[in-house]
PDB file of all heavy atoms in Angstrom:
ATOM      1  N   GLN A  54      -0.891   8.112  18.072  1.00 97.00           N
ATOM      2  CA  GLN A  54      -1.755   7.124  18.556  1.00 97.00           C
ATOM      3  C   GLN A  54      -1.435   5.691  17.823  1.00 97.00           C
ATOM      4  O   GLN A  54      -1.323   4.590  18.475  1.00 97.00           O
ATOM      5  CB  GLN A  54      -3.286   7.477  18.314  1.00 97.00           C
ATOM      6  CG  GLN A  54      -4.022   7.986  19.362  1.00 97.00           C
ATOM      7  CD  GLN A  54      -5.422   8.168  19.082  1.00 97.00           C
ATOM      8  OE1 GLN A  54      -5.787   8.903  18.125  1.00 97.00           O
ATOM      9  NE2 GLN A  54      -6.346   7.456  19.708  1.00 97.00           N
ATOM     10  N   GLN A  57       1.795   4.279  18.976  1.00 97.00           N
ATOM     11  CA  GLN A  57       1.855   3.696  20.326  1.00 97.00           C
ATOM     12  C   GLN A  57       0.951   2.445  20.357  1.00 97.00           C
ATOM     13  O   GLN A  57       1.242   1.537  21.080  1.00 97.00           O
ATOM     14  CB  GLN A  57       1.232   4.810  21.254  1.00 97.00           C
ATOM     15  CG  GLN A  57       2.094   5.877  21.495  1.00 97.00           C
ATOM     16  CD  GLN A  57       1.570   7.013  22.393  1.00 97.00           C
ATOM     17  OE1 GLN A  57       0.436   6.909  22.739  1.00 97.00           O
ATOM     18  NE2 GLN A  57       2.302   8.100  22.684  1.00 97.00           N
ATOM     19  N   ALA A  58      -0.018   2.391  19.485  1.00 97.00           N
ATOM     20  CA  ALA A  58      -0.825   1.094  19.468  1.00 97.00           C
ATOM     21  C   ALA A  58      -0.030  -0.005  18.940  1.00 97.00           C
ATOM     22  O   ALA A  58      -0.021  -1.120  19.595  1.00 97.00           O
ATOM     23  CB  ALA A  58      -2.062   1.339  18.596  1.00 97.00           C
ATOM     24  N   GLU A  60       3.240  -0.224  19.224  1.00 95.00           N
ATOM     25  CA  GLU A  60       4.214  -0.467  20.372  1.00 95.00           C
ATOM     26  C   GLU A  60       3.595  -1.314  21.415  1.00 95.00           C
ATOM     27  O   GLU A  60       4.162  -2.245  22.096  1.00 95.00           O
ATOM     28  CB  GLU A  60       4.687   0.820  20.891  1.00 95.00           C
ATOM     29  CG  GLU A  60       5.736   0.706  22.073  1.00 95.00           C
ATOM     30  CD  GLU A  60       6.117   2.039  22.689  1.00 95.00           C
ATOM     31  OE1 GLU A  60       5.578   3.146  22.261  1.00 95.00           O
ATOM     32  OE2 GLU A  60       6.811   1.988  23.682  1.00 95.00           O
ATOM     33  N   ALA A  61       2.260  -0.973  21.786  1.00 95.00           N
ATOM     34  CA  ALA A  61       1.606  -1.747  22.795  1.00 95.00           C
ATOM     35  C   ALA A  61       1.383  -3.183  22.423  1.00 95.00           C
ATOM     36  O   ALA A  61       1.534  -4.130  23.184  1.00 95.00           O
ATOM     37  CB  ALA A  61       0.173  -1.129  23.054  1.00 95.00           C
ATOM     38  N   LEU A  62       1.152  -3.369  21.079  1.00 91.00           N
ATOM     39  CA  LEU A  62       1.099  -4.823  20.578  1.00 91.00           C
ATOM     40  C   LEU A  62       2.351  -5.483  20.625  1.00 91.00           C
ATOM     41  O   LEU A  62       2.384  -6.743  21.058  1.00 91.00           O
ATOM     42  CB  LEU A  62       0.509  -4.723  19.233  1.00 91.00           C
ATOM     43  CG  LEU A  62       0.393  -6.245  18.515  1.00 91.00           C
ATOM     44  CD1 LEU A  62      -0.694  -6.988  19.160  1.00 91.00           C
ATOM     45  CD2 LEU A  62      -0.025  -5.944  17.030  1.00 91.00           C
ATOM     46  N   SER A  64       4.865  -5.105  22.596  1.00 90.00           N
ATOM     47  CA  SER A  64       5.324  -5.350  24.051  1.00 90.00           C
ATOM     48  C   SER A  64       4.151  -5.871  24.876  1.00 90.00           C
ATOM     49  O   SER A  64       4.503  -6.050  26.125  1.00 90.00           O
ATOM     50  CB  SER A  64       5.903  -4.004  24.631  1.00 90.00           C
ATOM     51  OG  SER A  64       4.857  -2.932  24.662  1.00 90.00           O
ATOM     52  N   PHE A  65       3.065  -6.059  24.381  1.00 89.00           N
ATOM     53  CA  PHE A  65       1.888  -6.487  25.146  1.00 89.00           C
ATOM     54  C   PHE A  65       1.752  -5.638  26.456  1.00 89.00           C
ATOM     55  O   PHE A  65       1.629  -6.104  27.450  1.00 89.00           O
ATOM     56  CB  PHE A  65       1.967  -8.044  25.503  1.00 89.00           C
ATOM     57  CG  PHE A  65       1.728  -8.873  24.249  1.00 89.00           C
ATOM     58  CD1 PHE A  65       2.804  -9.712  23.825  1.00 89.00           C
ATOM     59  CD2 PHE A  65       0.532  -8.912  23.680  1.00 89.00           C
ATOM     60  CE1 PHE A  65       2.527 -10.498  22.767  1.00 89.00           C
ATOM     61  CE2 PHE A  65       0.314  -9.689  22.467  1.00 89.00           C
ATOM     62  CZ  PHE A  65       1.417 -10.474  22.043  1.00 89.00           C
ATOM     63  N   SER A  66       1.783  -4.292  26.210  1.00 94.00           N
ATOM     64  CA  SER A  66       1.683  -3.353  27.220  1.00 94.00           C
ATOM     65  C   SER A  66       0.201  -2.840  27.449  1.00 94.00           C
ATOM     66  O   SER A  66      -0.276  -2.047  26.570  1.00 94.00           O
ATOM     67  CB  SER A  66       2.640  -2.172  26.913  1.00 94.00           C
ATOM     68  OG  SER A  66       2.298  -1.214  27.967  1.00 94.00           O
ATOM     69  N   GLY A  67      -0.417  -3.220  28.449  1.00 94.00           N
ATOM     70  CA  GLY A  67      -1.819  -2.743  28.787  1.00 94.00           C
ATOM     71  C   GLY A  67      -1.759  -1.323  29.088  1.00 94.00           C
ATOM     72  O   GLY A  67      -2.740  -0.487  28.816  1.00 94.00           O
ATOM     73  N   GLU A  68      -0.780  -0.839  29.739  1.00 96.00           N
ATOM     74  CA  GLU A  68      -0.559   0.622  30.063  1.00 96.00           C
ATOM     75  C   GLU A  68      -0.547   1.477  28.791  1.00 96.00           C
ATOM     76  O   GLU A  68      -1.282   2.430  28.763  1.00 96.00           O
ATOM     77  CB  GLU A  68       0.741   0.845  30.884  1.00 96.00           C
ATOM     78  CG  GLU A  68       0.913   2.253  31.430  1.00 96.00           C
ATOM     79  CD  GLU A  68       2.092   2.427  32.192  1.00 96.00           C
ATOM     80  OE1 GLU A  68       2.812   1.436  32.504  1.00 96.00           O
ATOM     81  OE2 GLU A  68       2.470   3.578  32.510  1.00 96.00           O
ATOM     82  N   ILE A  69       0.237   1.057  27.811  1.00 97.00           N
ATOM     83  CA  ILE A  69       0.380   1.951  26.506  1.00 97.00           C
ATOM     84  C   ILE A  69      -1.058   1.847  25.851  1.00 97.00           C
ATOM     85  O   ILE A  69      -1.574   2.884  25.408  1.00 97.00           O
ATOM     86  CB  ILE A  69       1.489   1.389  25.704  1.00 97.00           C
ATOM     87  CG1 ILE A  69       2.818   1.616  26.299  1.00 97.00           C
ATOM     88  CG2 ILE A  69       1.444   2.221  24.373  1.00 97.00           C
ATOM     89  CD1 ILE A  69       3.925   1.040  25.590  1.00 97.00           C
ATOM     90  N   ALA A  70      -1.632   0.708  25.827  1.00 97.00           N
ATOM     91  CA  ALA A  70      -2.944   0.538  25.147  1.00 97.00           C
ATOM     92  C   ALA A  70      -3.963   1.354  25.928  1.00 97.00           C
ATOM     93  O   ALA A  70      -4.880   2.063  25.242  1.00 97.00           O
ATOM     94  CB  ALA A  70      -3.398  -0.934  25.293  1.00 97.00           C
ATOM     95  N   THR A  71      -3.856   1.472  27.140  1.00 97.00           N
ATOM     96  CA  THR A  71      -4.945   2.446  27.929  1.00 97.00           C
ATOM     97  C   THR A  71      -4.673   3.835  27.586  1.00 97.00           C
ATOM     98  O   THR A  71      -5.626   4.590  27.323  1.00 97.00           O
ATOM     99  CB  THR A  71      -4.765   2.125  29.391  1.00 97.00           C
ATOM    100  OG1 THR A  71      -5.093   0.789  29.706  1.00 97.00           O
ATOM    101  CG2 THR A  71      -5.729   3.022  30.135  1.00 97.00           C
ATOM    102  N   HIS A  72      -3.426   4.205  27.327  1.00 97.00           N
ATOM    103  CA  HIS A  72      -3.076   5.522  27.016  1.00 97.00           C
ATOM    104  C   HIS A  72      -3.577   5.968  25.652  1.00 97.00           C
ATOM    105  O   HIS A  72      -4.113   7.024  25.404  1.00 97.00           O
ATOM    106  CB  HIS A  72      -1.518   5.804  27.054  1.00 97.00           C
ATOM    107  CG  HIS A  72      -1.088   7.178  26.633  1.00 97.00           C
ATOM    108  ND1 HIS A  72      -1.410   8.274  27.431  1.00 97.00           N
ATOM    109  CD2 HIS A  72      -0.426   7.597  25.632  1.00 97.00           C
ATOM    110  CE1 HIS A  72      -0.903   9.428  26.858  1.00 97.00           C
ATOM    111  NE2 HIS A  72      -0.371   9.014  25.832  1.00 97.00           N
ATOM    112  N   VAL A  73      -3.540   5.004  24.698  1.00 97.00           N
ATOM    113  CA  VAL A  73      -4.072   5.189  23.357  1.00 97.00           C
ATOM    114  C   VAL A  73      -5.551   5.478  23.395  1.00 97.00           C
ATOM    115  O   VAL A  73      -6.043   6.363  22.769  1.00 97.00           O
ATOM    116  CB  VAL A  73      -3.779   3.983  22.438  1.00 97.00           C
ATOM    117  CG1 VAL A  73      -4.455   4.141  21.093  1.00 97.00           C
ATOM    118  CG2 VAL A  73      -2.265   3.966  22.217  1.00 97.00           C
ATOM    119  N   LEU A  74      -6.197   4.665  24.195  1.00 96.00           N
ATOM    120  CA  LEU A  74      -7.695   4.830  24.341  1.00 96.00           C
ATOM    121  C   LEU A  74      -8.069   6.214  24.939  1.00 96.00           C
ATOM    122  O   LEU A  74      -9.166   6.738  24.503  1.00 96.00           O
ATOM    123  CB  LEU A  74      -8.243   3.658  25.099  1.00 96.00           C
ATOM    124  CG  LEU A  74      -8.185   2.298  24.443  1.00 96.00           C
ATOM    125  CD1 LEU A  74      -8.594   1.192  25.414  1.00 96.00           C
ATOM    126  CD2 LEU A  74      -9.012   2.291  23.136  1.00 96.00           C
ATOM    127  N   LYS A  75      -7.302   6.679  25.995  1.00 95.00           N
ATOM    128  CA  LYS A  75      -7.583   7.945  26.475  1.00 95.00           C
ATOM    129  C   LYS A  75      -7.291   9.017  25.485  1.00 95.00           C
ATOM    130  O   LYS A  75      -8.079  10.103  25.498  1.00 95.00           O
ATOM    131  CB  LYS A  75      -6.599   8.230  27.729  1.00 95.00           C
ATOM    132  CG  LYS A  75      -6.950   7.440  28.874  1.00 95.00           C
ATOM    133  CD  LYS A  75      -6.067   7.626  30.072  1.00 95.00           C
ATOM    134  CE  LYS A  75      -6.532   6.815  31.364  1.00 95.00           C
ATOM    135  NZ  LYS A  75      -5.476   6.976  32.447  1.00 95.00           N
ATOM    136  N   GLN A  76      -6.316   8.920  24.533  1.00 95.00           N
ATOM    137  CA  GLN A  76      -6.144   9.889  23.599  1.00 95.00           C
ATOM    138  C   GLN A  76      -7.263   9.956  22.579  1.00 95.00           C
ATOM    139  O   GLN A  76      -7.567  11.000  22.016  1.00 95.00           O
ATOM    140  CB  GLN A  76      -4.821   9.564  22.796  1.00 95.00           C
ATOM    141  CG  GLN A  76      -3.526   9.903  23.514  1.00 95.00           C
ATOM    142  CD  GLN A  76      -2.339   9.465  22.630  1.00 95.00           C
ATOM    143  OE1 GLN A  76      -2.313   8.423  22.007  1.00 95.00           O
ATOM    144  NE2 GLN A  76      -1.338  10.434  22.673  1.00 95.00           N
ATOM    145  N   ALA A 129      -5.532  -1.005  20.088  1.00 97.00           N
ATOM    146  CA  ALA A 129      -5.342  -0.951  21.537  1.00 97.00           C
ATOM    147  C   ALA A 129      -6.336  -1.867  22.319  1.00 97.00           C
ATOM    148  O   ALA A 129      -5.920  -2.584  23.206  1.00 97.00           O
ATOM    149  CB  ALA A 129      -5.477   0.524  22.049  1.00 97.00           C
ATOM    150  N   ARG A 130      -7.559  -1.867  21.828  1.00 96.00           N
ATOM    151  CA  ARG A 130      -8.490  -2.803  22.490  1.00 96.00           C
ATOM    152  C   ARG A 130      -8.198  -4.169  22.160  1.00 96.00           C
ATOM    153  O   ARG A 130      -8.384  -5.137  23.104  1.00 96.00           O
ATOM    154  CB  ARG A 130      -9.970  -2.521  21.985  1.00 96.00           C
ATOM    155  CG  ARG A 130     -10.531  -1.254  22.671  1.00 96.00           C
ATOM    156  CD  ARG A 130     -12.074  -1.114  22.322  1.00 96.00           C
ATOM    157  NE  ARG A 130     -12.282  -0.612  20.956  1.00 96.00           N
ATOM    158  CZ  ARG A 130     -12.265   0.674  20.558  1.00 96.00           C
ATOM    159  NH1 ARG A 130     -12.213   1.555  21.505  1.00 96.00           N
ATOM    160  NH2 ARG A 130     -12.548   0.973  19.361  1.00 96.00           N
ATOM    161  N   VAL A 132      -5.143  -5.424  21.806  1.00 93.00           N
ATOM    162  CA  VAL A 132      -4.032  -5.748  22.789  1.00 93.00           C
ATOM    163  C   VAL A 132      -4.610  -5.946  24.172  1.00 93.00           C
ATOM    164  O   VAL A 132      -4.137  -6.979  24.864  1.00 93.00           O
ATOM    165  CB  VAL A 132      -3.097  -4.463  22.889  1.00 93.00           C
ATOM    166  CG1 VAL A 132      -2.109  -4.765  23.991  1.00 93.00           C
ATOM    167  CG2 VAL A 132      -2.345  -4.332  21.532  1.00 93.00           C
ATOM    168  N   GLN A 133      -5.556  -5.212  24.632  1.00 93.00           N
ATOM    169  CA  GLN A 133      -6.140  -5.390  25.962  1.00 93.00           C
ATOM    170  C   GLN A 133      -6.811  -6.788  25.958  1.00 93.00           C
ATOM    171  O   GLN A 133      -6.720  -7.528  27.007  1.00 93.00           O
ATOM    172  CB  GLN A 133      -7.126  -4.318  26.256  1.00 93.00           C
ATOM    173  CG  GLN A 133      -6.524  -3.084  26.603  1.00 93.00           C
ATOM    174  CD  GLN A 133      -7.501  -1.989  27.038  1.00 93.00           C
ATOM    175  OE1 GLN A 133      -8.651  -2.043  26.538  1.00 93.00           O
ATOM    176  NE2 GLN A 133      -7.092  -0.959  27.757  1.00 93.00           N
ATOM    177  N   ARG A 134      -7.502  -7.146  24.964  1.00 90.00           N
ATOM    178  CA  ARG A 134      -8.251  -8.482  24.904  1.00 90.00           C
ATOM    179  C   ARG A 134      -7.208  -9.694  24.872  1.00 90.00           C
ATOM    180  O   ARG A 134      -7.433 -10.653  25.617  1.00 90.00           O
ATOM    181  CB  ARG A 134      -9.086  -8.502  23.618  1.00 90.00           C
ATOM    182  CG  ARG A 134      -9.922  -9.726  23.574  1.00 90.00           C
ATOM    183  CD  ARG A 134     -10.999  -9.723  22.435  1.00 90.00           C
ATOM    184  NE  ARG A 134     -10.502  -9.408  21.184  1.00 90.00           N
ATOM    185  CZ  ARG A 134     -10.655  -8.272  20.526  1.00 90.00           C
ATOM    186  NH1 ARG A 134     -11.287  -7.176  21.164  1.00 90.00           N
ATOM    187  NH2 ARG A 134     -10.179  -8.061  19.355  1.00 90.00           N
ATOM    188  N   ILE A 136      -4.316  -9.673  26.142  1.00 88.00           N
ATOM    189  CA  ILE A 136      -3.671  -9.679  27.503  1.00 88.00           C
ATOM    190  C   ILE A 136      -4.597 -10.427  28.463  1.00 88.00           C
ATOM    191  O   ILE A 136      -4.313 -11.175  29.280  1.00 88.00           O
ATOM    192  CB  ILE A 136      -3.269  -8.321  27.968  1.00 88.00           C
ATOM    193  CG1 ILE A 136      -2.049  -7.764  27.127  1.00 88.00           C
ATOM    194  CG2 ILE A 136      -2.818  -8.334  29.366  1.00 88.00           C
ATOM    195  CD1 ILE A 136      -1.781  -6.377  27.364  1.00 88.00           C
ATOM    196  N   ASN A 137      -5.982  -9.934  28.428  1.00 87.00           N
ATOM    197  CA  ASN A 137      -6.924 -10.389  29.410  1.00 87.00           C
ATOM    198  C   ASN A 137      -7.208 -11.893  29.211  1.00 87.00           C
ATOM    199  O   ASN A 137      -7.605 -12.591  30.192  1.00 87.00           O
ATOM    200  CB  ASN A 137      -8.171  -9.608  29.204  1.00 87.00           C
ATOM    201  CG  ASN A 137      -8.026  -8.154  29.688  1.00 87.00           C
ATOM    202  OD1 ASN A 137      -7.155  -7.914  30.541  1.00 87.00           O
ATOM    203  ND2 ASN A 137      -8.895  -7.226  29.230  1.00 87.00           N
TER     204      ASN A 137
END
Side-chain angles (χ1 to χ4, degrees):
Q54 264 188 295
Q57 289 177 359
E60 181 185 353
L62 179 64
S64 60
F65 289 113
S66 170
E68 184 178 352
I69 297 175
T71 298
H72 179 65
V73 171
L74 292 173
K75 287 180 179 177
Q76 284 182 312
R130 282 191 288 271
V132 173
Q133 290 181 331
R134 184 166 58 252
I136 292 172
N137 291 337

